[in-house]
Amino acid sequence: MLKFMPEPFKIKAVEPLKILSKEEREKAIKRAGYNTFLLKSDEVYIDLLTDSGTNAMSDNQWAGLMIGDEAYAGSRNFYHLENTVKDIFGFKYVVPTHQGRGAENLLSTICIKEGDYIPGNMYFTTTRYHQENNGGNFVDVIIDEAHDSTRGDIKFKGNVDLAKFQKLINEVGPDKIPYICVAVTVNLAGGQPVSMENIKEVSKLAHENGIKVMFDATRCVENAYFIKENERGYEDHSIKEIVKELFSYGDGCTMSGKKDCITNIGGFLCLNDEELFEKAKELVVVYEGMPSYGGLAGRDMEAMARGLEEAIDYHYIKHRVHQVRYLGEKLENAGVPIVKPTGGHAVFLDAKAFLPHLSQGEFPAQALAAAIYVDSGVRTMERGIVSAGRDKHTGKNHYPKLELVRLTIPRRVYTYTHLDYVAESVIHIWKNKYSIKGLQWTYEPKMLRFFTGRFEEKE
Ligand SMILES: *Cc1c(COP(=O)(O)O)cnc(C)c1O
């Protein structure tokens, strides 16, 4: 048996790739202000910026687009999506949104009051933005080890630290905590999963205190795969059974369809509480559209319903996680510092250890992402001090412990050979790391600054 699962699909349509020369790439990154988000996609050879909306849809999903019912209200594709989500996730009510942050906006607006606290297992950029924008304060309750990139021995590094959660309840009182946000998997910790056991305990503690459990379900299928692989008692459960059990401990979720629904756009909010659902339906009309399309075309809802069915296929998800692991092992074997263990959607380079000659204030992860692009045309993303932003009260920079470059693998898009090329480039830079210079701002946006911020090399 091969160690890594080969592709459980074959290629039916291809998109040719362009490769620029190194001189052209040097020019491009300067023009982009050393921000890989500001590169044109035509300037990129292998795009590992994100796994969000970059998925390759199946022939079945593409066929589904043709039966899009573009009625303003009551589209049949909505009912298909609603039934599929209810069947797989088990929640009572489903509100479609244009993508995950649309659902976050609805949830935060209907649940959070000024001065509330929202515990979560590490922040996510848009999630925290919507919580704070509604007067909430995010409190990180993930286990300490999640912030330690060397702890490859821990299988469920996304777990909630129950003592931290309990401490917050004691300090501010349960009335100030409308819900705990549990991300499965935890993107910013490196795509790390949460165990079923932890979810059960979190749910028990939350519900005893009248606090709701809301999942960030974005990568729930990847999380389910890790539970099947590593948690005792789940070896023989199907991915679908695990997903359903996981959500049975919660009261709702936000979902970005652009990840584990294997589509290019879409999202939804799930709720069990009828009153909250009524509020969400009133609000979705203002921000997204009718509750039966939520900012999506009928065909997009069809693709999302079909994608979700495909995502819970064991062979699909095994291959996905194995691709990530394959790239991680190649880098690790060459001594490159990566976050361990590798998670579900990406390999994260530890930029502080990679570039020991730069201080965090010189934006090592930003500089490393730019250097990888110049070396090979591979686009990656900063997940460190630039992404962490400034404290909303003091205006001071957050200095996150993890200063990372994310190499995100899109679903069903690249082959193992592409990943060999990526590994070769990163290893080449690792061997020549001292030539990489720090960066300084030339333009710092006020919010979500990693999207549009600009830099230049320090002398
Ligand atoms: C992508 C993502 C979101 C937001 O979803 P969008 O579809 O990009 O709006 C929320 N949480 C996590 C963990 C994500 O990865």
Side-chain angles (χ1 to χ4, degrees), residues 64-78 292-293 295-303:
L65 297 187
M66 283 307 293
I67 57 157
D69 169 7
E70 308 306 342
Y72 192 82
S75 159
R76 76 175 83 94
N77 311 113
F78 165 69
S292 61
Y293 74 86
L296 294 168
R299 56 179 174 270
D300 296 326
M301 293 190 282
E302 186 62 31

Side-chain angles (χ1 to χ4, degrees), residues 391-405:
D391 186 280
K392 75 166 184 170
H393 299 297
T394 66
K396 289 210 172 104
N397 277 311
H398 291 293
Y399 280 85
K401 276 202 196 123
L402 295 177
E403 174 75 22
L404 308 174
V405 170

Side-chain angles (χ1 to χ4, degrees), residues 50-52 98-102 104 124-127 183 185-188 216-219 254-259 265-267 345 406:
T50 175
D51 64 335
S52 176
H98 74 287
Q99 57 185 87
R101 68 200 67 184
E104 291 171 349
F124 183 73
T125 52
T126 57
T127 319
T185 62
V186 185
N187 188 347
L188 267 68
D216 181 338
T218 299
R219 292 184 181 78
T254 56
M255 180 71 183
S256 169
K258 303 174 72 172
K259 281 75 170 231
I265 195 71
H345 66 297
R406 192 178 79 178

Side-chain angles (χ1 to χ4, degrees), residues 100-373:
R101 68 200 67 184
E104 291 171 349
N105 179 30
L106 299 181
L107 180 70
S108 301
T109 308
I110 59 181
C111 288
I112 300 174
K113 294 188 305 296
E114 185 72 36
D116 278 350
Y117 293 83
I118 321 297
N121 49 348
M122 209 173 269
Y123 81 97
F124 183 73
T125 52
T126 57
T127 319
R128 187 177 71 187
Y129 174 81
H130 282 295
Q131 292 166 356
E132 291 180 345
N133 195 41
N134 283 285
N137 298 285
F138 166 80
V139 182
D140 190 2
V141 293
I142 201 166
I143 56 172
D144 284 338
E145 293 85 345
H147 295 277
D148 182 347
S149 66
T150 64
R151 293 300 302 272
D153 55 311
I154 300 181
K155 295 289 185 206
F156 293 101
K157 249 176 124 178
N159 279 357
V160 171
D161 185 330
L162 290 158
K164 288 186 192 173
F165 183 25
Q166 180 72 63
K167 183 162 170 267
L168 180 72
I169 297 172
N170 296 347
E171 276 171 16
V172 305
D175 296 347
K176 287 263 178 219
I177 309 174
Y179 63 89
I180 177 168
C181 175
V182 183
V184 285
T185 62
V186 185
N187 188 347
L188 267 68
Q192 305 295 338
V194 183
S195 72
M196 193 73 86
E197 188 188 4
N198 187 249
I199 289 166
K200 275 191 221 173
E201 287 169 348
V202 168
S203 170
K204 186 161 173 278
L205 179 56
H207 290 148
E208 277 169 7
N209 286 280
I211 297 166
K212 288 193 161 54
V213 176
M214 296 294 181
F215 288 101
D216 181 338
T218 299
R219 292 184 181 78
C220 59
V221 182
E222 290 162 16
N223 201 108
Y225 178 78
F226 283 109
I227 288 177
K228 184 174 170 69
E229 203 180 48
N230 292 321
E231 192 162 350
R232 231 207 268 149
Y234 290 93
E235 305 84 350
D236 299 326
H237 286 52
S238 69
I239 297 294
K240 184 177 174 179
E241 285 165 347
I242 296 173
V243 169
K244 196 148 191 180
E245 181 182 339
L246 195 159
F247 289 136
S248 73
Y249 302 114
D251 304 281
C253 74
T254 56
M255 180 71 183
S256 169
K258 303 174 72 172
K259 281 75 170 231
D260 271 359
C261 294
I262 331 184
T263 50
N264 306 120
I265 195 71
F268 49 84
L269 171 68
C270 292
L271 294 164
N272 279 341
D273 185 297
E274 192 180 350
E275 212 174 296
L276 285 180
F277 172 58
E278 292 302 329
K279 283 188 190 160
K281 271 200 298 187
E282 279 171 27
L283 209 60
V284 76
V285 179
V286 184
Y287 289 112
E288 311 273 332
M290 284 285 286
S292 61
Y293 74 86
L296 294 168
R299 56 179 174 270
D300 296 326
M301 293 190 282
E302 186 62 31
M304 197 151 57
R306 293 181 181 211
L308 205 46
E309 302 259 6
E310 293 175 17
I312 55 173
D313 173 69
Y314 173 66
H315 296 290
Y316 152 75
I317 191 63
K318 181 174 176 185
H319 165 262
R320 158 128 188 93
V321 175
H322 276 208
Q323 272 207 326
V324 175
R325 191 169 296 164
Y326 175 82
L327 178 59
E329 279 192 16
K330 281 221 140 182
L331 296 176
E332 206 183 332
N333 291 341
V336 175
I338 63 168
V339 174
K340 288 184 248 185
T342 46
H345 66 297
V347 174
F348 289 73
L349 307 178
D350 179 347
K352 279 189 202 167
F354 200 114
L355 302 175
H357 57 294
L358 299 185
S359 72
Q360 199 169 12
E362 293 173 307
F363 310 108
Q366 190 80 23
L368 182 54
I372 294 170
Y373 170 71

